[in-house]
Amino acid sequence: MAIKISITNYSPTSCKTTTAMNLASSLAIYEKKTLFIDVSKNFYASKLLSKKKKDLSCFLNNKCKLKDIIISTELEFLDFIPLKKRMILRNDNFKNLIDSLNETYEYIIFDTSSYEFAMSKRALWVSDYVIIPIQCKKNALLSLLKTLNAIKDTNNAGNENLELMGLLFTYPRKRQKEIKDFFQKDAIASFEDKIFKTIIPYDSEFKEGFSAISDIKSVCASSYLSLIDEIMNKVKTNE
């Protein structure tokens, strides 16, 4: 049964896509059969990684077959499903799709937008965990609280098993001081035990795309690989 993880945050500048892409590629490097699915409203990962016209919306509207939208990547253990246009979902095709892939993959990673975007909402409905990437900047607290409420809304809507796996701090310029200051806010002090030990550092040489592929020796790539150890330990603890 695949472990399904949504990377989400209400903030549009919290490194959701970068986190999702590198998390998926790092899992593949660990030889975990992984599927990365773009369900974000800006389609950034799809624009970067796919030139195909056929996408997730094509399949969900019964206009193409599943084999037409699954893209093999440079990594043997990583596949990708792009999304190229928005769509209105009036059926359970998305859930049925994910259910059909449960035995094929060990991990399914969703790159999402805010909870209001229908496709991202569907991803939360079928996910087991949520990882929230955070940049310590203006409105970060408000975005985090909205995201935590979205998890509660999803629990109330029927996915009672969805839980917060952790908060991932990305690109802090002053590292621990920024994080310590962030968690001095009373509203989220109780979530301090949910912080990943891994911090994704700022790296001016960081490249777009799957950095763990393009520059395996980079500081960022090393950090994402360390994150995988934490994620797998959390999953093992919950089994």
Side-chain angles (χ1 to χ4, degrees), residues 61-236:
N61 283 320
N62 301 311
K63 294 182 179 179
C64 62
K65 297 181 180 180
L66 181 57
K67 65 180 180 63
D68 297 326
I69 66 169
I70 295 182
I71 300 172
S72 299
T73 69
E74 297 176 38
L75 290 180
E76 178 184 355
F77 291 89
L78 179 61
D79 292 334
F80 173 56
I81 294 181
L83 179 66
K84 297 294 186 72
K85 60 183 179 181
R86 301 185 186 187
M87 61 178 294
I88 298 175
L89 289 175
R90 297 189 178 91
N91 52 46
D92 292 328
N93 282 1
F94 184 73
K95 182 180 183 304
N96 293 337
L97 166 64
I98 302 305
D99 287 345
S100 72
L101 296 168
N102 260 328
E103 303 303 325
T104 304
Y105 296 94
E106 295 177 79
Y107 285 85
I108 298 177
I109 306 299
F110 300 103
D111 176 25
T112 77
S113 298
S114 66
Y115 190 64
E116 282 87 358
F117 184 52
M119 287 300 300
S120 295
K121 183 181 293 187
R122 295 295 177 106
L124 288 181
W125 288 355
V126 301
S127 291
D128 303 304
Y129 298 101
V130 169
I131 292 176
I132 305 177
I134 299 173
Q135 284 189 292
C136 298
K137 55 175 61 175
K138 186 177 180 180
N139 296 324
L141 175 59
L142 178 60
S143 296
L144 173 58
L145 294 178
K146 284 184 175 181
T147 307
L148 294 173
N149 284 334
I151 296 174
K152 291 181 181 178
D153 290 342
T154 305
N155 293 148
N156 294 333
N159 185 358
E160 298 177 356
N161 296 322
L162 178 67
E163 63 177 273
L164 173 64
M165 178 177 279
L167 310 178
L168 176 67
F169 283 89
T170 61
Y171 301 172
R173 299 300 183 101
K174 297 179 182 179
R175 294 179 69 83
Q176 296 296 340
K177 184 180 185 304
E178 287 188 14
I179 296 173
K180 182 179 180 180
D181 291 346
F182 190 81
F183 273 93
Q184 285 179 343
K185 302 174 176 66
D186 292 339
I188 56 172
S190 61
F191 289 94
E192 193 165 1
D193 64 337
K194 286 287 188 178
I195 305 174
F196 282 106
K197 293 179 181 179
T198 301
I199 299 172
I200 307 303
Y202 175 77
D203 184 353
S204 60
E205 300 300 319
F206 186 72
K207 300 179 179 65
E208 290 185 329
F210 294 128
S211 74
I213 293 176
S214 60
D215 191 1
I216 194 66
K217 295 182 180 180
S218 73
V219 175
C220 281
S222 176
S223 296
Y224 281 113
L225 293 173
S226 296
L227 177 62
I228 297 305
D229 290 329
E230 288 195 68
I231 289 173
M232 289 193 293
N233 284 335
K234 286 177 180 288
V235 169
K236 185 176 181 180

